[in-house]
């Protein structure tokens, strides 16, 4: 009995090709799905779905639905959405139990509806979202995701692990496999390309994404070639091993050095063999030299193996682990042997370093997956865009649905193909064939028990996948794959962000589920490794871009150069992926925090306390160069290393805002690694800002990257904001600790980070001063305006917004002054000591502040939170307890620099402000003079005191005046002790002093030497009695400048006598210098003469110096002096040298007094007048002649005549 169909096949063909029967029937059934005919909906939907499955093509019925969903009329689109929802809900049971013949679904219509979720029309978007929420609540997550997953699991996206390509496979096996793939490659290259973005509103229906399930089944079930990818070939098909393809020396080296897989020298790895006629290239050939038809995966295996050293190279003769043994056992017997052994040791050490480097590279790229053929990236991009749209509009409902929906083919029939493709992808990852019959039991390592795990797994797979160098692909394919990587990370960000909200609920079940998801999919590990690999790629491209022409050497990047096709783009080509990875890391860090502490490994050290064990484990993880389970992301050395390197120019300036955002938003979650992470990050911020300042100061010198990379004009603002946020978080204890205490549970972490940042505070202050100086130049040095009215300024665009940058600097420093004022002032002093300028005046004891130092003063004065009294109080505290600056061996203490800063600060103050803050200044002087400062410190105290007394009127308060006199006396005595530091006692019990027989440095000579104030920093703890004699001349000169006028203003008219004992004590250290006429004492003699000359101008001081001055004049060696000292002894009230003109004037005055008075009035005083009067000498040489004759050793008249003339005076 034969069953005859009611309609012959030929008639069906005519109906399909010559008529519009299917279209008419479909349109009738579609129109019956309106609201008026609800009683016919079930029947119409069943008929419509059967017609869809029986139609010649799937486009017939879907064209009608898509036309209505994309209709320009809003009402028609809303009605179409309603009808689609009717079809969707009524076909739920049919599609769930469909057989293989019913493999069609309404995929295109579904994509159009999903695209409508983010429609600009609110009504359309609301209707689509309403359908989505209802469908998810009814368990349709698998139905919705099925076409999306089929796009992501298409056979051409098959990939294999990178280690599978480095196995020892037969070259002919690889060649046969590649030839079998040629046809599929050609199809991929010739396939029509879909519009990027998939189904857009108004797009042609022919370009809408479709999924042909029948074609996929037919493709994957086709039996493959006999030789499987990475499989074990038959014995007779393997005539040659991979080692046989290498040259003799290379093969011998590979056999002898089986313990390693890297090369000792990449440049010597190229073999010169031309005898090998195999289709597999030598590992020395670069990938670009091979065509796609000739290459196979054998070069990948060969490239991952060690290239051979050159024949005769010493590296072939010495083992790395025996270099020291050879050196000890076989001492050289000749120079040639010694040189050869030294060369061998050097080569062995180099080889060891290269092995270590190559091991790091292999660990860095071990997570990489490689595609086996080109794929259509736009279909994958569209699938990810659909997922992103769903997650953007309804994230909570979607995550809840995929979290409870399992990939179970027994319960969900339409996931059969999904499970089959997943199993095949797992086979391909292990190096097996993607096609043909699957093993009876698929591998259990595939993490796809739930839909959310499957989505996470697929996103990570696309993130990790690259094209191999052995595969011929176009540049567009590489760019498309890069876009897929970025889009996969964007989807992961939305998934993980929603999981953060779930984890915040703190339900135990949810926490365990999310922890299991992250652990099974290895999310943190793959994300961190992908970021590190991408950064390494950027660094390599930066090195190639900045290297001199012909100077770049080919390094041993085996994996990234010979296996992975990373493209030949610029440094910023990796930035989009890195930016998204940083966003994902930020979300993962927050997620880990809300999930709580990860379960730690089993206790291996039971004797150690728990805290010690945790600290030990943390130290091991933070220093590791690979991901260490089960530590959190913030405790991973990979992340800390990436953060530290993130702001370096080699990784691109375009990434810096993203890195700043990651660090600032993750501050509460860093935990133990807070100080490890943020401190070098802040240092790098300062370095980058310093580089911008250098570029500004020398506009002709451009940054290396400025020609190759555009830097945003607001780049300094970005860095300043990051610097402020990080520093304030770690340094300040804010009253609102709710956010911080919620994340940072251990205050020790904050304390450690605070101490680490405070050590770098001088560097930060130095950067702020550099920026402040640039702002001053921009504001004060106004360029002339040209004819067009434009101001001619600097070509640098980074400092044009001076007001904004100024405010950012003040916002950073102002909050630090109250809790950290002492540390900030000490940092200013440390920077001050490093910014010393050249001394313009050789006779100035206290050097004038340089321009950069005055910038520091201007910066401190601009802080609104620091008043004058506050600054002086902080200076006093720093001088009392000067902190030691880390890393500055030359200037360990900052007591003298902070006094230099204080001196410049009070010089800047007006007289009224200085007088108002006298108590604060007095406190600085009182506290400082009691300390064991270096001599320049006391010079500064005396200079500050003199500046105050000179510029302010007399104090009205007697108490203040008394305090001023006391501190003046203490400071002068301290300086006097320094002035006497070059004196010593003549005998043990004698109080007489004499000059030490040692050379003295004058002011002119000290300028040629190192700055004395810099040397003073190393002698801050030295007491004044043992101060080096290098300061005695300076002390005498400073006293000569300020002593006389200072005492005259400090002591009032009725208090002058109080100053005489002080002057006597000071002159006790001065006259021994005036008694010594040796050549080495010349600087001190000159300074002492100047001091005596300045004091003699005030009558009340005569009692303190008259006797000693007379004794000096009676000294036969008195005239042996420098000619510069004569002016000090003639132009003063000493009157040691009287001239003829002076004698005549005195006689006239005496005659006037005698003859102008009353008659005989002078008789009472005649004896006194006669005693004072003396006839002029017959021959009186000039003072200069007397000095000259004294210097020549000739004394006119001898000592007796000299004494007689003195008596006549």
């Amino acid at each position: 009995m034969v069953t005859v169909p009611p309609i012959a096949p030929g008639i069906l063909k005519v109906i399909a090709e010559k008529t519009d029967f299917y279209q008419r029937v479909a349109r009738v059934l579609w129109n019956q799905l309106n609201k008026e005919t609800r009683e016919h909906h079930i029947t119409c939907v069943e008929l419509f779905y059967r017609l869809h499955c029986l139609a010649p093509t799937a486009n017939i019925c879907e064209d009608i639905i898509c036309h209505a969903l994309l209709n320009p009329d809003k009402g028609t689109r809303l009605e179409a959405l309603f009808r689609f929802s009717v079809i969707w809900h009524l076909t739920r049971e049919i599609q769930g139990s469909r057989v293989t013949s019913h493999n069609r679904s309404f995929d295109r219509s579904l994509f159009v509806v999903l695209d409508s979720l983010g429609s600009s029309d609110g009504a359309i978007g609301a209707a689509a979202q309403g359908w989505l929420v209802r469908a998810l609540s009814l368990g349709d997550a698998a139905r919705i995701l099925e076409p999306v997953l089929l796009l992501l699991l298409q056979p051409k996206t098959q990939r294999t692990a990178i280690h599978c390509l480095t196995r020892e496979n037969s070259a002919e096996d690889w060649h046969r496999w590649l030839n079998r793939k040629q046809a599929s490659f050609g199809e991929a290259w010739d396939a029509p390309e879909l519009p990027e973005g998939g189904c857009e509103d108004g797009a042609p229906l022919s370009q809408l994404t479709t999924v042909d399930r029948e074609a996929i089944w037919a493709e994957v079930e086709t039996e493959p070639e006999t030789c499987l990818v990475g499989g074990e070939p038959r014995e007779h098909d393997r005539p040659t091993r991979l080692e046989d393809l290498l040259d003799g020396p290379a093969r011998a080296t590979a056999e002898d050095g089986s313990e390693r897989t890297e090369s000792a020298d990449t440049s010597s790895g190229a073999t010169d063999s031309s005898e090998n006629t195999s289709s597999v290239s030598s590992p020395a050939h670069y990938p670009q030299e091979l065509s796609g038809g000739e290459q196979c995966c054998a070069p990948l295996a060969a490239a991952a193996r060690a290239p051979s050293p050159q024949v005769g190279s010493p590296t072939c003769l010495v083992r790395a682990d025996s270099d020291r043994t050879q050196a000890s056992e076989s001492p050289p017997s000749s120079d040639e042997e010694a040189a050869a052994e030294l060369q061998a040791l050097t080569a062995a050490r180099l080889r060891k370093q290269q092995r270590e480097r190559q091991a790091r590279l292999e660990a860095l790229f071990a997570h990489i997956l490689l595609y086996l053929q080109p794929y259509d990236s736009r279909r994958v991009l569209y699938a990810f865009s659909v997922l992103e749209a769903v997650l953007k509009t309804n994230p909570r409902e979607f995550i809840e649905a995929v979290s409870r929906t399992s990939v179970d083919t027994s319960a969900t029939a339409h996931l059969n193909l999904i499970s089959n493709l997943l199993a095949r992808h797992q086979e391909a990852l292990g190096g097996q064939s993607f096609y043909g019959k699957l093993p009876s039991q698929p591998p259990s390592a595939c993490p796809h028990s739930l839909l959310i795990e499957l989505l996470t797994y697929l996103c990570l797979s696309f993130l990790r996948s690259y094209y191999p160098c052995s595969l011929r692909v176009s540049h567009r394919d590489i760019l498309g794959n890069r876009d897929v990587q970025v889009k996969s990370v964007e989807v992961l960000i939305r998934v993980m962000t929603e999981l953060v909200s779930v984890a915040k609920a703190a339900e135990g079940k949810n926490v365990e589920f999310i922890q299991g998801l992250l652990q099974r999919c290895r999310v943190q590990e793959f994300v961190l490794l992908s970021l590190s690999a991408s950064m390494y790629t950027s660094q390599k491209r930066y090195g190639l871009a900045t290297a001199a022409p012909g100077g770049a050497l080919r390094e041993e990047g085996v994996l990234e150069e010979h296996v992975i096709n990373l493209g030949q783009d610029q440094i910023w080509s990796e930035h989009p992926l890195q930016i998204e990875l940083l966003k994902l890391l930020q979300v993962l860090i927050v997620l880990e925090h809300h999930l709580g502490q990860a379960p730690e490994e089993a206790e291996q050290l039971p004797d150690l306390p728990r805290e010690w064990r945790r600290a030990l484990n943390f130290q091991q993880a933070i220093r590791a160069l690979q991901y260490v389970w089960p530590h959190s992301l913030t405790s991973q050395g990979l992340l800390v290393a990436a953060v530290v390197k993130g702001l370096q120019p080699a990784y691109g300036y375009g990434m810096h805002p993203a890195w700043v955002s990651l660090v600032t938003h993750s501050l509460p979650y860093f935990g133990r690694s807070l100080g490890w992470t943020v401190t070098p990050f802040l240092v790098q911020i300062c370095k980058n800002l310093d580089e911008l300042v250098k570029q500004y100061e020398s506009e002709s010198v451009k940054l290396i990257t400025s020609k190759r990379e555009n830097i945003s004009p607001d780049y300094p603002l970005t860095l300043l904001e990051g610097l402020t946020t990080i520093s304030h978080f770690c340094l300040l204890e804010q009253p609102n600790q709710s956010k911080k205490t919620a994340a940072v549970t251990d205050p020790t972490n904050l304390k450690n980070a605070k101490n680490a940042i405070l050590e770098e505070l001088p560097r930060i202050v130095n950067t702020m001063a550099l920026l402040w100086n640039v702002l001053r130049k921009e504001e004060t040095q106004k360029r002339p305006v040209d004819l067009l009215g434009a101001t001619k300024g600097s070509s640098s665009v980074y400092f044009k917004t001076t007001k904004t940058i100024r405010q950012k600097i003040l916002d950073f420093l102002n909050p630090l002054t109250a809790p950290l004022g002492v540390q900030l002032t000490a940092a200013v002093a440390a920077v001050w000591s490093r910014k010393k300028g050249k001394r313009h005046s050789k006779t100035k004891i206290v050097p004038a502040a340089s321009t950069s130092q005055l910038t520091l003063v201007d910066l401190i004065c601009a802080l609104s939170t620091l008043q004058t009294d506050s600054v002086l109080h902080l200076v006093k505290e720093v001088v009392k307890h000067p902190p030691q600056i880390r890393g500055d061996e030359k200037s360990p203490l900052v007591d003298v620099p902070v006094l230099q800063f204080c001196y410049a600060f009070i010089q800047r103050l007006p007289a009224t402000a200085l007088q108002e803050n006298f108590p604060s200044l007095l406190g600085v002087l009182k506290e400082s003079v009691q300390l064991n400062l270096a001599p320049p410190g006391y010079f500064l105290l005396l200079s500050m005191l003199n500046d105050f007394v000179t510029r302010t009127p007399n104090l009205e308060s007697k108490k203040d005046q008394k305090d001023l006199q006391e501190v003046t006396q203490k400071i002068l005595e301290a300086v006097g002790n320094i002035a006497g530091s070059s004196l010593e006692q003549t005998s043990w019990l004698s109080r007489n002093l004499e000059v030490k027989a040692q050379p003295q440095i004058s002011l002119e000579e000290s300028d040629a030497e190192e700055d004395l104030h810099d040397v003073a920093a190393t002698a801050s703890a030295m007491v004044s009695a043992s101060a080096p004699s290098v300061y005695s001349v300076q002390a005498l000169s400073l006293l000569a400048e300020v002593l006389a006028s200072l005492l005259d203003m400090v002591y009032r008219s009725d208090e002058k006598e109080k100053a005489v004992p002080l002057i006597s004590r000071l002159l006790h250290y001065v006259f021994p210098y005036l008694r010594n006429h040796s050549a080495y004492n010349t600087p001190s003699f000159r300074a002492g003469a100047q001091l005596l000359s300045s004091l003699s101008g005030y009558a009340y001081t005569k009692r303190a110096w008259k006797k000693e001055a007379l004794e000096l004049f009676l000294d036969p060696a008195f005239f042996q002096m420098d000619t510069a000292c004569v002016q000090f002894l003639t132009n003063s009230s000493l009157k040691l040298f009287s001239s003829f003109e002076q004698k005549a004037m005195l006689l006239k005055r005496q005659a006037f007094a005698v003859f102008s008075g009353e008659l005989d009035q002078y008789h009472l005083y005649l004896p006194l007048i006669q005693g004072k009067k003396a006839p002029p000498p017959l021959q009186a040489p000039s003072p200069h002649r007397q000095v000259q004759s004294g210097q020549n050793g000739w004394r006119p008249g001898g000592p007796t005549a000299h004494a007689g003339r003195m008596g006549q005076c």
Side-chain angles (χ1 to χ4, degrees), residues 59 62-68 70 108 112 199 202-210:
N59 294 331
E62 288 219 77
D63 282 349
I64 296 175
I65 303 176
C66 293
H67 270 299
L70 297 175
R108 292 170 53 200
V112 173
C199 299
L205 297 179
S206 61
Q207 296 182 357
L208 297 178
T209 305
T210 59

Side-chain angles (χ1 to χ4, degrees), residues 200 697 838:
E200 301 290 343
E697 292 177 349
K838 295 183 179 180

Side-chain angles (χ1 to χ4, degrees), residues 187-482:
E187 294 174 1
W189 294 332
D190 298 335
E193 297 175 345
L194 297 174
E196 190 169 351
C199 299
E200 301 290 343
D201 291 349
L205 297 179
S206 61
Q207 296 182 357
L208 297 178
T209 305
T210 59
V211 179
D212 193 344
R213 294 168 179 79
E214 297 178 359
I216 295 176
W217 277 112
E219 179 181 357
V220 299
E221 290 181 348
T222 303
E223 287 295 330
E225 296 288 339
T226 305
C227 178
L228 302 178
V229 180
E232 197 68 32
R234 296 185 300 272
E235 289 295 329
H236 64 275
D237 288 336
R238 186 186 299 168
T240 307
R241 300 292 295 177
L242 178 64
E243 290 83 348
D244 299 332
L245 301 177
L246 301 173
D247 289 341
R251 181 170 63 254
T253 305
E255 293 173 355
D256 295 339
S258 59
E259 61 183 11
R260 59 184 175 88
T261 58
E262 301 82 30
S263 169
D265 189 359
T266 302
S267 61
S268 63
T271 58
D272 299 330
S273 174
S274 59
E275 301 174 359
N276 188 359
T277 57
S278 172
S279 60
V280 183
S281 300
S282 170
H285 294 165
Y286 297 153
Q288 58 267 26
E289 296 176 358
L290 304 173
S291 63
E294 296 177 353
Q295 274 190 311
C296 63
C297 291
L300 305 181
R305 301 187 62 83
S308 62
Q310 293 180 355
V311 179
S313 173
T315 58
C316 301
L317 306 177
V318 183
R319 292 184 58 185
D321 55 355
S322 62
D323 52 358
R324 296 186 180 179
T325 305
Q326 292 180 358
S328 61
E329 293 179 354
S330 57
S333 59
S334 63
D335 295 341
E336 292 78 6
E337 293 180 2
E341 187 169 358
L342 179 61
Q343 185 180 7
L345 293 175
T346 304
R349 189 180 303 109
L350 178 61
R351 183 169 62 248
K352 181 180 179 181
Q353 295 175 355
Q354 290 171 340
R355 283 202 305 268
E356 294 174 353
R357 176 181 178 274
Q358 196 60 36
R360 292 194 299 267
L361 285 180
E362 288 185 353
L364 186 63
F365 289 90
H367 68 288
I368 295 297
L369 305 178
L370 297 175
Y371 291 111
L372 300 179
Q373 56 182 312
Y375 71 98
D376 190 352
S377 60
R378 269 176 269 202
R379 294 173 69 90
V380 178
L381 283 174
Y382 178 72
F384 278 130
S385 66
V386 170
L387 291 174
E388 189 177 23
V390 175
L391 286 166
K392 184 178 181 180
T393 54
N394 303 93
R396 184 176 60 85
E397 296 84 0
F398 180 75
I399 293 298
E400 290 179 356
V402 297
S403 299
R404 61 174 180 261
T405 305
S406 62
V407 187
D408 187 2
T409 57
S410 61
T412 311
H414 46 264
L415 291 181
N416 283 328
L417 182 55
I418 300 295
S419 299
N420 189 279
L421 291 175
L422 274 174
R424 296 180 184 277
H425 276 282
Q426 287 298 304
E427 290 290 312
L429 284 178
Q432 303 300 319
S433 174
F434 185 87
Y435 303 95
K437 184 178 180 181
L438 284 173
S440 58
Q441 293 183 354
S444 59
C446 183
H448 52 71
S449 60
L450 294 174
L451 278 180
I452 189 172
E453 292 186 20
L454 176 56
L455 292 176
T456 306
Y457 165 75
L458 290 176
C459 290
L460 291 174
S461 297
F462 280 102
L463 169 63
R464 300 159 52 198
S465 300
Y466 291 84
Y467 284 113
C469 289
S470 62
L471 189 62
R472 188 181 66 184
V473 292
S474 64
H475 183 64
R476 184 173 184 178
D477 291 325
I478 297 177
L479 296 180
N481 183 65
R482 196 172 294 160

Side-chain angles (χ1 to χ4, degrees), residues 71 363 429 441 544 550 567 715 734 938 969 980 1028 1071:
N71 195 286
L429 284 178
Q441 293 183 354
L544 294 175
Y715 179 69
Q734 303 174 0
Y938 295 104
Q969 182 176 352
F1071 283 112

Side-chain angles (χ1 to χ4, degrees), residues 17-50:
E17 295 178 356
K18 304 297 184 180
T19 67
D20 58 350
F21 169 77
Y22 293 100
Q23 290 84 348
R24 287 177 178 271
V25 174
R27 189 173 294 108
V28 170
L29 294 175
W30 171 258
N31 293 331
Q32 291 296 317
L33 297 179
N34 54 28
K35 299 178 182 179
E36 290 76 14
T37 58
R38 295 179 182 271
E39 64 276 7
H40 303 306
H41 282 183
I42 297 177
T43 305
C44 291
V45 168
E46 292 179 356
L47 294 174
F48 191 81
Y49 181 69
R50 288 189 179 185

Side-chain angles (χ1 to χ4, degrees), residues 653-727:
Y653 286 88
M655 284 300 302
H656 294 183
W659 279 110
V660 171
S661 176
L662 170 68
V663 175
T664 54
H665 286 87
S666 304
L667 285 173
Y669 313 105
F670 274 119
R672 288 175 179 263
S673 62
L674 181 62
W676 290 72
T677 307
V678 301
T679 304
F681 192 78
L682 292 181
V683 171
Q684 190 62 45
I685 286 180
C686 295
K687 289 181 180 179
N688 292 355
L689 289 173
D690 294 348
E691 286 297 322
L692 290 181
V693 173
K694 289 181 181 179
Q695 179 187 4
Y696 173 85
E697 292 177 349
S698 55
E699 296 180 355
S700 60
V701 180
K702 302 298 182 182
L703 289 176
I704 294 179
T705 57
S706 61
K707 298 179 180 179
R708 300 177 175 87
E709 183 178 1
N710 294 324
I711 307 177
S712 175
D714 62 344
Y715 179 69
L717 296 177
T718 302
L719 296 185
L720 284 174
E721 291 171 357
L723 178 68
T724 302
T725 303
I726 297 172
S727 301

Side-chain angles (χ1 to χ4, degrees), residues 54 79 99 356 362 366 441 535 551 579 679 726 769 997 1112:
L54 295 174
E79 178 65 23
V99 294
E356 294 174 353
E362 288 185 353
Q441 293 183 354
M535 292 179 64
I579 291 175
T679 304
I726 297 172
L1112 286 176

